[in-house]
Amino acid sequence: MHPIKAALAASLIVAAHTATAQAEVQIQWWHAMAGANGDRIVKIANDFNASQSDYKVIPTFKGTYADTMNAGIAAFRAGSAPDILQVFEVGTATMMAAKGAIKPVYQLMQDAGEPFDAKAYLPAITGYYSTSKGEMLSFPFNSSTVVMWVNNDALKKAGIDKIPATWPDVFAAGKKLRAAGNEKCGFSSGWITWVNIENFNAWHNLPLSTKANGLDGFDTELVFNKNAPLVKHFENLVEAQKDKVFDYSGRTSEGEGRFTSGECALFLTSSAFYGDVKANAKFDYTAAPMPYYPDVAGAPQNSIIGGASLWVMGGKSAEEYKGIAKFLTYLSKPEVQAWWSQQTGYLPITPAAYELSKQQGFFDKVPAAEVAIKEITNKAPTENSRGLRLGGLAQIRNVWAEEIELALTGKKTAQAALDAAVERGNVMLRQFERTVK
Amino acid sequence: MEKRTVFSHKLLPYALLAPQLLVTIVFFYWPAGQAVYQSFLIQDAFGISTEFVWFENYRSLFSDPAYYSALGVTALFSTVVTVLSLSFALILAVEADKSLKGAGIYKTLLIWPYAVAPAVAGVLWLFMFQPSLGVFGKMLNAAGFNWNPYLNSGDAFALVTAAAVWKQISYNFLFFLAGLQSIPKSLIEAAAIDGAGPTRRFWSIVFPMLSPTAFYLLTVNIVYVFFDTFGIIHTVTRGGPAGATTTLVYKVFSDGQAGGDLGTSAAESVILMLIVIGLTALQFRFIERKVTY
């Protein structure tokens, strides 16, 4: 064939394809769910696509949470952002500050004329992703919270007949576990800062930073080094690290295998660890609420979430927004929500979905899943427990973790480490504040 | 007198250089220029608000203790990795150069790790030395060492160094072996006849004759440690614990990627670029003089 003819033919074929594609509006959804959860995302998209013929949601896996967020940002800078971007909770401040780059969900629903009631969602979850006036900025897709995973067999062997409910009990249990031959670890924790700083403060109704932990403004300042119970808690952890009553397991989830392998009998980490535990733990396990210090008035308060939400990107056509709005409505349906949360261990985002799961008897089969939802709804959220909105929290967490590592290895006292964590974090917050003015 | 062919065409040399120049401009000068420009800006991650601040990013860097710590880690890391990988490679090359049974097999096996990507090398070593899952990690703990690279900075540094050295030995070995084989046997034999023992022969003949190779390798190794070890660090320690394995290039990544702080990240990469240019220039200026070609 003549080359020019070939090119013409090729362009005709392409044109024909775009013509058929234009019949339905395509919605690009970039996400960070690998493995089984990635397959579930595809199923959700396929089910939505099959339920109507005007819009087509196309999910694309973009790597880890950080990779996905960076891919979204880079695509935005290059003028080709996706329609929906899944962003982890620590990226919330960065996303909401990017005016013009995003379209707040409440506005999207309004503009698209889609029926939407922010009150139909669990406030403990949506609070993290809403303005102080309660306007939902991003759609809470997959949320979890901190629970304590318990190896019942190991506890029994160590002569601990009750699951420890308070921190003093946990430290005592850790000692007993060590004495009973658990050589490497009494208890441990994944996500060292999310568990021991962010959730610790919320659970004890203590402020992490001013301005309602940043929800009321980017001029927030970290203050948690002045929380006596938190300082005490870290002093206890440092002391316990010396003889491995507590043993550090890294900054994120890399140490979680120590629970499933039986090395650590008590392990504080995400409730979404459930899938892993179910697949790999060869012992009798359960999940218990986070421990608390009983001498702190008002504790336990309520825990805060982790996980990710869906951000709608700015600058799209009205058609696309209509499709996205329909898709978010579809995601909120009780049966979709109940299915997603039962499959993954993430929290249902609406009371209706929670009720449906209850009726289906899910929580009788998996009591661990209910522990999480009871924690986040334990009490009405206060200024200290609604959520966090700190710019550059992903990097700030690394700085906090560095300081904690220094304290645990005896290079700094707990107080000095927390002071430095606050000071270094504040420098980063000021830097962020400057870029969003 | 050297024979020279003279082309009268004035444009030809430029035309011949053009492809190479084009590649250098597109893949080096352009991005480097962008990095320099970016380092003068304070910008949000999305690039929506931009403020031109001249050298403020540099100033704040040089007032940040974490940056000095990364400088120190990089200096120590590059020294240790370069010295260890060059010495091991030299010993192995000298041994493999002898007439041994199955020398070919040794040589092939020694070259293998070179084919392993840094990130994969990192995962391999972590797999062996992870404190609760790794075979050697478990052994160390059972033997009474408190081995935990997630918490102890020394352990983490040792693990990353071991992986980086292991990976680089092959490359150095290959060049040393080639260098050894190009030394005229007659020189060594003559020395042997004059009564020089193996040690004397090595230091007086072999080592000086290897110096061009060693010099080349020194430069390549430093560049390797500065940049290519990123994959190892990222898979093994992610720069932790407490910044003990955060090298300059890792800090460029973590400030830019995790922090979304492109101005600081760009300033760091500009400084890094200057350091490497400076080091390479120094090496050519001073060390090369002492090299026997």
Side-chain angles (χ1 to χ4, degrees):
Chain A
M1 203 192 270
H2 193 275
I4 293 177
K5 272 188 193 160
L8 264 179
S11 65
L12 276 178
I13 293 167
V14 172
H17 270 277
T18 25
T20 48
Q22 265 159 9
E24 48 186 15
V25 177
Q26 296 198 350
I27 296 166
Q28 298 293 338
W29 178 16
W30 288 6
H31 68 87
M33 306 265 89
N37 283 350
D39 297 341
R40 289 173 187 134
I41 290 234
V42 173
K43 180 179 152 49
I44 288 179
N46 287 344
D47 289 356
F48 172 74
N49 294 342
S51 74
Q52 45 74 49
S53 57
D54 296 336
Y55 308 100
K56 188 176 182 202
V57 172
I58 303 165
T60 311
F61 174 63
K62 284 282 166 182
T64 64
Y65 278 137
D67 292 342
T68 305
M69 183 167 167
N70 280 303
I73 289 174
F76 173 80
R77 290 180 85 124
S80 57
D83 297 284
I84 305 175
L85 183 66
Q86 186 188 21
V87 176
F88 53 173
E89 91 281 23
V90 292
T92 303
T94 307
M95 295 301 291
M96 74 168 286
K99 296 202 176 66
I102 53 134
K103 176 119 179 157
V105 163
Y106 77 95
Q107 225 168 21
L108 167 91
M109 296 308 230
Q110 225 168 28
D111 293 358
E114 190 71 18
F116 174 73
D117 179 13
K119 291 196 187 66
Y121 299 83
L122 286 168
I125 297 178
T126 52
Y128 206 107
Y129 303 117
S130 302
T131 63
S132 49
K133 279 178 258 162
E135 299 157 334
M136 197 192 279
L137 296 169
S138 65
F139 186 84
F141 180 62
N142 54 318
S143 306
S144 60
T145 192
V146 177
V147 297
M148 182 169 71
W149 292 95
V150 182
N151 178 337
N152 287 328
D153 293 349
L155 254 58
K156 204 181 287 167
K157 229 180 92 194
I160 305 162
D161 43 11
K162 212 172 116 248
I163 293 173
T166 67
W167 274 113
D169 290 350
V170 170
F171 282 100
K175 278 193 186 119
K176 277 191 190 162
L177 283 162
R178 285 281 287 111
N182 296 276
E183 289 193 2
K184 291 179 184 163
C185 173
F187 71 95
S188 189
S189 140
W191 301 99
I192 189 76
T193 68
W194 182 53
V195 172
N196 294 286
I197 294 183
E198 296 163 36
N199 263 296
F200 184 96
N201 280 316
W203 198 230
H204 291 86
N205 195 16
L206 299 166
L208 182 108
S209 70
T210 57
K211 300 260 169 174
N213 292 340
L215 265 71
D216 290 347
F218 289 135
D219 51 343
T220 175
E221 284 194 30
L222 302 172
V223 291
F224 60 79
N225 58 331
K226 297 189 189 78
N227 295 341
L230 182 74
V231 177
K232 182 82 207 139
H233 178 57
F234 272 97
E235 281 166 355
N236 292 340
L237 288 179
V238 170
E239 195 54 39
Q241 174 71 52
K242 286 180 185 158
D243 47 8
K244 297 199 172 184
V245 167
F246 164 79
D247 194 38
Y248 184 63
S249 295
R251 296 178 185 183
T252 64
S253 58
E254 66 265 37
E256 284 177 345
R258 304 180 75 189
F259 178 74
T260 40
S261 72
E263 196 173 296
C264 298
L266 295 170
F267 202 95
L268 285 106
T269 193
S270 166
S271 54
F273 181 36
Y274 166 68
D276 229 328
V277 176
K278 188 178 151 191
N280 299 316
K282 290 177 189 68
F283 48 80
D284 177 30
Y285 62 83
T286 183
M290 261 191 290
Y292 60 98
Y293 285 94
D295 54 343
V296 178
Q301 172 58 38
N302 65 287
S303 68
I304 53 178
I305 57 163
S309 68
L310 303 183
W311 286 86
V312 180
M313 302 302 284
K316 305 289 175 190
S317 69
E319 271 276 79
E320 284 169 278
Y321 281 139
K322 193 143 180 96
I324 299 169
K326 291 239 181 290
F327 180 56
L328 294 187
T329 304
Y330 176 82
L331 280 181
S332 311
K333 281 186 169 178
E335 51 287 12
V336 177
Q337 267 304 309
W339 176 82
W340 167 252
S341 67
Q342 290 178 18
Q343 293 287 313
T344 57
Y346 286 115
L347 297 161
I349 57 169
T350 62
Y354 178 34
E355 284 306 317
L356 183 62
S357 282
K358 251 189 196 168
Q359 282 168 22
Q360 294 169 344
F362 173 66
F363 297 116
D364 301 330
K365 277 182 284 175
V366 190
E370 200 168 20
V371 171
I373 203 161
K374 281 185 171 157
E375 279 182 345
I376 60 157
T377 55
N378 189 41
K379 283 177 187 164
T382 68
E383 284 218 324
N384 301 325
S385 66
R386 254 196 300 151
L388 305 179
R389 193 147 312 146
L390 306 178
L393 184 51
Q395 200 189 16
I396 290 178
R397 270 185 179 172
N398 282 336
V399 165
W400 290 349
E402 280 184 11
E403 294 297 334
I404 293 171
E405 285 158 2
L406 288 172
L408 290 176
T409 44
K411 295 189 183 92
K412 272 188 184 177
T413 64
Q415 181 72 61
L418 291 172
D419 289 349
V422 163
E423 195 189 321
R424 292 175 66 188
N426 276 333
V427 172
M428 293 159 126
L429 287 178
R430 294 296 74 77
Q431 173 91 4
F432 178 78
E433 193 188 349
R434 240 179 107 172
T435 64
V436 296
K437 265 182 185 160
Chain B
M1 187 69 189
E2 210 178 321
K3 242 190 176 182
R4 235 179 234 179
T5 317
V6 179
F7 293 96
S8 55
H9 209 302
K10 281 199 173 125
L11 286 177
L12 187 64
Y14 298 101
L16 290 174
L17 279 176
Q20 184 59 41
L21 282 177
L22 194 71
V23 168
T24 316
I25 288 168
V26 170
F27 290 102
F28 180 70
Y29 286 103
W30 188 5
Q34 275 193 326
V36 171
Y37 176 62
Q38 184 84 49
S39 73
F40 294 138
L41 305 177
I42 286 184
Q43 201 177 47
D44 73 304
F46 285 86
I48 294 170
S49 82
T50 304
E51 192 186 337
F52 192 84
V53 294
W54 283 112
F55 289 95
E56 196 186 324
N57 285 325
Y58 292 90
R59 271 200 296 277
S60 58
L61 254 190
F62 285 113
S63 61
D64 181 7
Y67 190 65
Y68 291 102
S69 137
L71 264 175
V73 169
T74 311
L76 184 65
F77 188 50
S78 54
T79 314
V80 174
V81 171
T82 308
V83 169
L84 287 182
S85 64
L86 282 176
S87 351
F88 278 122
L90 183 57
I91 295 170
L92 290 171
V94 169
E95 294 305 313
D97 194 35
K98 292 176 180 161
S99 31
L100 296 170
K101 227 183 200 175
I105 298 171
Y106 292 129
K107 288 174 194 167
T108 312
L109 288 178
L110 280 166
I111 293 163
W112 266 9
Y114 184 56
V116 178
V120 178
V123 172
L124 280 176
W125 280 77
L126 185 63
F127 191 65
M128 292 188 288
F129 283 93
Q130 213 274 357
S132 48
L133 303 170
V135 179
F136 294 109
K138 276 188 188 166
M139 272 191 208
L140 281 171
N141 275 319
F145 292 101
N146 185 11
W147 171 258
N148 186 0
Y150 290 127
L151 187 58
N152 305 330
S153 357
D155 296 357
F157 191 81
L159 183 54
V160 172
T161 306
V165 169
W166 173 77
K167 164 129 183 56
Q168 192 62 7
I169 284 177
S170 304
Y171 184 82
N172 296 345
F173 169 79
L174 196 64
F175 276 81
F176 274 137
L177 191 64
L180 284 171
Q181 288 173 348
S182 68
I183 295 173
K185 288 277 173 289
S186 56
L187 283 178
I188 298 172
E189 281 157 12
I193 290 165
D194 287 346
T199 322
R200 182 70 202 272
R201 289 202 297 269
F202 178 79
W203 290 112
S204 300
I205 296 172
V206 176
F207 195 68
M209 296 290 282
L210 270 182
S211 60
T213 313
F215 169 67
Y216 164 77
L217 286 176
L218 183 66
T219 315
V220 168
N221 275 266
I222 287 184
V223 173
Y224 159 78
V225 183
F226 266 72
F227 297 101
D228 288 359
T229 50
F230 171 84
I232 295 174
I233 295 173
H234 191 54
T235 47
V236 178
T237 61
R238 291 179 180 268
T245 55
T246 300
T247 57
L248 290 173
V249 73
Y250 198 79
K251 198 159 159 42
V252 169
F253 165 79
S254 66
D255 286 347
Q257 166 96 0
D261 183 358
L262 295 179
T264 308
S265 177
E268 286 168 11
S269 64
V270 170
I271 297 173
L272 186 59
M273 184 166 70
L274 293 178
I275 292 177
V276 172
I277 291 174
L279 274 179
T280 314
L282 260 184
Q283 282 169 345
F284 276 97
R285 183 105 176 69
F286 293 107
I287 305 181
E288 202 192 17
R289 285 185 184 167
K290 298 195 176 124
V291 167
T292 334
Y293 279 108

